[in-house]
Amino acid sequence: KCPVTDKGVASGVKEGLYTITARCGSNSSSVCIVVLKNPNSNIQPLKISDKVADFIASWEGGETILPNGKKVFYPYKDVSGFWTLGYGHAKTATASKSWSEARAISEFNDDIEKLIGEQYIITDDRPYLSEDAAKLLLYADLTSGDYVKAVNNWAIRNGVKLNQVQFDALVSFCYNIGPSLWESDTTKFYLKSAILAHRDGSKAVPDQIIDGFCRYHKSNGKPYKGLWYRRRNEAELFLTGDYNIDRDNKFKLPTDISWS
């Protein structure tokens, strides 16, 4: 419990997340506070594992199967209207939503040439990425972009100990949601608080970790089943090290949400 004095001052002895609710008649209001453990020292940056690149690729999708069985990736617009290629390589500036396909391909080719090589650019004769090229681009995005850096910097800055599977799960989350939640220590973010309270991913409360991941199941304000399943699988990876994908057998969708 987190004691509260008659003047409304909260204090805690044991680290963790606490919910304080104030009531006046039939009205009530709640706030979540964090009691922090002292930070760990000498936190070293981590690298993603090969397993998490395959884990993320399984969720991102976006492929087309040709008549010969070959898996390829054409540019397309995601549910938010952003041009996307391969395993989630997206152009997320608002203006990009109005680009023509030719403009999008030109922008993607600039990235492809810079990140994985000119030999993989999209041409009239090959208007897609091969599966191998898509995987190379994903790995380059993860390691050269802000995703790994954002999670590492947050952990080092705040003295948070993470093991490999916990780090992988957070990078998958970061790749899908974006790095901004990890870049600011003042942004309200329940998942981050659940880990930060103990400064150790292995000591976080499982229910809080699951809740923290699964809150982020919306795109453009609409709840999507696929996003909830991804969040729940990321939580399972964080807690148990299970990289297997399970969309609907192991985990059951909440029934109190009207899914898009």
Side-chain angles (χ1 to χ4, degrees):
K1 294 182 178 180
C2 186
V4 183
T5 70
D6 56 3
K7 293 183 179 180
V9 177
S11 62
V13 175
K14 184 175 175 58
E15 71 273 1
L17 286 178
Y18 298 89
T19 300
I20 298 175
T21 302
R23 295 183 175 87
C24 182
S26 60
N27 298 317
S28 66
S29 180
S30 297
V31 64
C32 181
I33 67 169
V34 187
V35 177
L36 295 172
K37 185 177 181 180
N38 290 332
N40 295 291
S41 59
N42 299 320
I43 300 298
Q44 299 300 312
L46 296 174
K47 297 180 179 179
I48 57 168
S49 70
D50 291 338
K51 286 184 178 181
V52 81
D54 291 335
F55 178 88
I56 293 171
S58 297
W59 285 109
E60 291 295 340
E63 69 272 10
T64 297
I65 307 298
L66 298 180
N68 62 4
K70 186 179 181 180
K71 185 186 293 186
V72 298
F73 296 80
Y74 292 93
Y76 70 96
K77 284 190 174 182
D78 68 9
V79 295
S80 299
F82 295 117
W83 281 103
T84 306
L85 180 66
Y87 294 113
H89 183 88
K91 294 296 184 179
T92 56
T94 301
S96 67
K97 292 184 178 183
S98 61
W99 288 352
S100 66
E101 183 176 13
R103 168 70 186 278
I105 290 173
S106 175
E107 297 284 343
F108 284 137
N109 276 342
D110 287 344
D111 293 346
I112 291 167
E113 184 173 0
K114 179 176 66 176
L115 292 172
I116 61 174
E118 183 181 4
Q119 65 270 32
Y120 296 107
I121 64 173
I122 295 172
T123 65
D124 290 340
D125 294 332
R126 193 185 63 237
Y128 51 75
L129 277 186
S130 68
E131 183 177 10
D132 288 343
K135 287 184 176 180
L136 287 174
L137 185 60
L138 170 62
Y139 199 81
D141 279 339
L142 289 170
T143 55
S144 302
D146 294 329
Y147 313 104
V148 167
K149 183 190 304 182
V151 177
N152 264 325
N153 286 349
W154 171 76
I156 293 169
R157 190 169 63 244
N158 290 282
V160 176
K161 187 187 303 182
L162 299 169
N163 64 29
Q164 185 65 61
V165 297
Q166 293 157 3
F167 181 74
D168 282 354
L170 295 181
V171 170
S172 174
F173 178 92
C174 184
Y175 185 70
N176 187 227
I177 300 296
S180 61
L181 292 173
W182 301 99
E183 291 171 340
S184 170
D185 289 334
T186 59
T187 302
K188 295 179 181 179
F189 183 17
Y190 186 88
L191 174 60
K192 191 164 63 175
S193 297
I195 304 167
L196 186 60
H198 306 277
R199 313 275 191 178
D200 187 336
S202 299
K203 294 181 180 179
V205 178
D207 286 348
Q208 293 176 354
I209 292 296
I210 294 168
D211 184 16
F213 274 103
C214 289
R215 290 182 182 209
Y216 294 84
H217 59 260
K218 294 182 179 180
S219 179
N220 283 345
K222 296 179 180 180
Y224 285 90
K225 295 178 182 178
L227 286 176
W228 187 89
Y229 282 127
R230 176 169 180 169
R231 297 287 88 85
R232 187 61 186 85
N233 275 242
E234 288 167 344
E236 190 74 357
L237 171 57
F238 186 99
L239 293 169
T240 71
D242 184 0
Y243 288 86
N244 293 318
I245 301 298
D246 192 316
R247 285 180 168 81
D248 54 11
N249 294 317
K250 187 174 182 180
F251 307 117
K252 301 304 177 184
L253 280 170
T255 57
D256 58 345
I257 297 173
S258 297
W259 298 101
S260 300

